[in-house]
Amino acid sequence: MTSADITSSPALIQEVGRTCLCRRVQRASRNVGRQFDDAFRPVGINNWQFTMLMTLAAQASRTVNQIAADLGMDRTTTTKNLRPLERRGLVAIRTDDKDGRVRRVSLTESGDQLLAVALEEWRVVNDRLAAALTPAQLEALRTALEAVARS
């Protein structure tokens, strides 16, 4: 199929517009991400950094591979996104005691303090977004997103 075939097929264009999950998820993600970025700006982090810090708060010391798996990212991208947090002293990256090839990441005291402030901002935005949905819609959305993430 050529681009001329696509542009000359209004039914196909309408089908994609009506059914495309990717477009809807991307649009929602940009909107949600923007709102969290705006809230976190005074704290000096973005929504991805907040998510990484929260992942680290859940367990004292995580490997880069564990963090990548939890966030659905590749190891290289995870490492790249951890570097600014390390430079700011929010996380510490060290070599694993048993395997020198493995890097372990932990939240520092500064990271923990920043996260406490960011959580207040997170709660405001998260509650506002959740309020736009009924409890049943909110639960269905969370369940559906988890199912899509696992697929």
Side-chain angles (χ1 to χ4, degrees), residues 39-40 50 114-127:
F40 294 142
F50 173 82
L114 182 137
L115 194 52
V117 174
L119 273 166
E120 295 173 23
E121 302 302 326
W122 169 85
R123 188 171 312 282
V124 170
V125 175
N126 200 68
D127 289 352

Side-chain angles (χ1 to χ4, degrees), residues 89-106:
L90 303 175
V91 302
I93 303 174
R94 64 174 177 78
T95 304
D96 184 76
D97 295 335
K98 296 178 182 175
D99 186 344
R101 298 168 297 175
V102 175
R103 301 280 181 224
R104 290 207 163 267
V105 185
S106 57

Side-chain angles (χ1 to χ4, degrees), residues 11 16 31 73 77-78 94 109 123-124:
V16 171
N31 180 40
M73 299 169 72
T77 303
T78 301
R94 64 174 177 78
E109 186 176 329
R123 188 171 312 282
V124 170

Side-chain angles (χ1 to χ4, degrees), residues 1-9:
M1 181 173 276
T2 68
S3 62
D5 294 333
I6 294 169
T7 58
S8 66
S9 176

Side-chain angles (χ1 to χ4, degrees), residues 24-36:
R24 284 175 174 76
V25 169
Q26 287 172 334
R27 185 173 179 215
S29 177
R30 281 191 296 273
N31 180 40
V32 170
R34 190 177 313 113
Q35 290 184 55
F36 280 106

